[in-house]
Amino acid sequence: MFAHNIATNVDFTLVVCDQFIEMKFADKNIAQNLIFQAVNLRNKWKKLLDLRLQASKPTIEDKDGLISDANRLEKDLSWLLVEFFKSETLYSIRRLLAADVKLLYAGPGRDTDCVLDLNPFSNNKEPCKPNHDKGGVDLTDFLTYNCLLDLETMATTFNTHDGICPYCDTEHHLTSLGHLAHMAICVQNGETTNRHEIEDDTPHDPNGKKYYCEVCDKTYRLSLRDLLKHKSTHLNG
């Protein structure tokens, strides 16, 4: 979340932060969802800082509007941060040694076959830009995709896999970048659940399991802890 540099393999199941911490995820879909959430949160955080800085200028016009936008964004960001850190995800973690770092990256000109794909994090729908040092492509100024030298994964950037969008619940068969691009479109179109539109206090975890509650007649995405808590509210009631 707060790493200066994040590097991934082809399906995001292998992630390295700052050439120091390595994380391996058991589920590629959950790994991709977490990466998307992390980038989305960092973008919102940066936007909030920009709004605060603009509102602090004495000559700025519509200062009240900027402050209102910043307060609304801060409230939304606070909730999203809590949901992100509450995510229950299965992964392993280890500290990298100097010998590991020497064999960490694919290298210049390697694994750039997705260079013509659209960058899911680009507002202008620009193609992915190759990283000339690590290999792979840069998706943001801190995230480099498919640059890690991963000998365990047989997947390529052309491979597709089944997935479910955590924002619109659509089942699809897409590449890893395609899955991220789909989520980006959902967020831009406002299909993600707005906190102020939720009728009760039941949390919505994008990485949780889909659960239909017959009592509420609603479908939720809940972590195991929130699922048990939700069921207990009906038992106690």
Side-chain angles (χ1 to χ4, degrees):
M1 174 64 192
F2 298 105
H4 291 289
N5 296 287
I6 301 175
T8 80
N9 67 344
V10 67
D11 59 3
F12 295 93
T13 54
L14 180 63
V15 177
V16 172
C17 300
D18 294 331
Q19 299 185 147
F20 182 65
I21 298 296
E22 176 192 86
M23 294 181 290
K24 288 186 177 181
F25 294 87
D27 189 302
K28 62 173 69 71
N29 289 310
I30 291 180
Q32 292 162 22
N33 293 348
L34 284 175
I35 289 293
F36 179 83
Q37 286 178 272
V39 174
N40 192 36
L41 284 170
R42 288 179 67 145
N43 289 340
K44 286 181 179 291
W45 200 310
K46 183 178 183 301
K47 184 178 180 181
L48 176 60
L49 292 176
D50 291 340
L51 287 174
R52 293 297 189 194
L53 288 174
Q54 292 180 40
S56 65
K57 296 179 180 179
T59 58
I60 194 69
E61 297 180 1
D62 192 22
K63 186 173 183 178
D64 292 339
L66 288 175
I67 293 176
S68 177
D69 290 342
N71 290 338
R72 184 166 54 251
L73 180 58
E74 183 176 2
K75 189 174 183 180
D76 184 42
L77 181 60
S78 299
W79 179 73
L80 290 173
L81 281 170
V82 172
E83 291 300 307
F84 179 79
F85 286 108
K86 280 176 56 181
S87 299
E88 297 177 354
T89 305
L90 181 63
Y91 65 92
S92 64
I93 186 170
R94 75 180 181 103
R95 175 183 173 182
L96 295 178
L97 303 176
D100 298 319
V101 176
K102 290 181 179 179
L103 301 174
L104 193 59
Y105 301 115
R110 298 282 301 277
D111 296 333
T112 58
D113 46 3
C114 60
V115 69
L116 297 179
D117 291 349
L118 293 180
N119 186 342
F121 300 115
S122 172
N123 294 328
N124 299 323
K125 303 302 180 183
E126 298 175 347
C128 298
K129 296 180 180 179
N131 186 297
H132 300 294
D133 296 321
K134 303 175 184 177
V137 294
D138 289 327
L139 299 184
T140 70
D141 56 354
F142 60 86
L143 175 62
T144 306
Y145 166 67
N146 197 27
C147 65
L148 294 180
L149 186 61
D150 184 7
L151 301 179
E152 297 180 5
T153 302
M154 301 301 295
T156 70
T157 56
F158 302 108
N159 290 134
T160 57
H161 59 272
D162 294 328
I164 300 177
C165 176
Y167 299 100
C168 68
D169 285 333
T170 300
E171 297 183 8
H172 50 230
H173 194 76
L174 300 170
T175 63
S176 296
L177 284 184
H179 180 58
L180 267 61
H182 177 93
M183 289 190 288
I185 293 174
C186 282
V187 171
Q188 291 175 2
N189 292 341
E191 292 184 12
T192 180
T193 303
N194 188 296
R195 184 189 182 194
H196 307 294
E197 295 176 352
I198 298 178
E199 298 178 359
D200 53 31
D201 295 329
T202 304
H204 179 85
D205 185 354
N207 296 316
K209 299 295 183 181
K210 185 185 292 187
Y211 167 70
Y212 173 73
C213 177
E214 295 181 353
V215 179
C216 299
D217 193 24
K218 291 182 181 179
T219 299
Y220 302 104
R221 280 192 173 274
L222 302 173
S223 65
L224 179 59
R225 177 176 53 190
D226 290 329
L227 175 59
L228 295 175
K229 187 184 299 183
H230 181 78
K231 287 184 176 180
S232 67
T233 59
H234 295 309
L235 294 176
N236 295 333

